[in-house]
Amino acid sequence: MPADPLHRAGMPQRSTTSPPPSGSKTSAIEVRRSSRRRRTVSAYREGDRTVVLIPARMSEAEEQRWVSVMLDKLAAQESKRVLGDAELTERAERLSTQYFDGRARPTSVRWVTNQNTRWGSCTPAEGSIRLSHRLQGMPEYVVDYVLVHELAHLLVPGHGPRFWRLLEAYPRTERARGYLEGVVAADRLPHLPGARGE
């Protein structure tokens, strides 16, 4: 049986590049297949590109599933690094530029520990934004959504149609809202005993 031309010695491994999911900070996702790789899947950032390494024999459906899993895993790892207030302010300014043409100008953006029923709050008259410390460790797109939400309040104080039209600019609004709703729902579930009979 002749050797597979993709896996012949000296031949490059198959690599595909695709555009990122909407709202992703990376410009492209590159999937590299390897005949040496048997079971493991890994991913890393390379500049503005995400590289996902998978076994060569994986199906297209498995590839898509693993790319999604690895993107979420990378996002979770990156978000574990807690941003300081100065970094949070810089991030808010970047998001304002990206989604509101720089019109939302916060005077301060900071973490607070006294918000247990809200993810964020804003005082438009002062230009101050406060994010709940409970967001720390959540995926970046979720923190960005809450920042964009509060930035929008600097432009439109209430939650009317004009406010929600502004939020449509952020492409991961629905996904982030779903994530936060899941966190709230999980908090309401009864705590089940552990597997060890605790």
Side-chain angles (χ1 to χ4, degrees), residues 120-122 129-131 145-154:
S121 62
C122 168
I129 292 175
R130 295 159 303 281
L131 297 189
Y145 163 73
V146 177
L147 277 171
V148 169
H149 184 106
E150 300 309 331
L151 286 165
H153 278 310
L154 293 178

Side-chain angles (χ1 to χ4, degrees), residues 153-173:
H153 278 310
L154 293 178
L155 303 172
V156 179
H159 285 107
R162 195 167 146 240
F163 172 82
W164 293 110
R165 276 195 302 275
L166 277 176
L167 269 190
E168 287 174 4
Y170 184 64
R172 299 182 90 178
T173 292

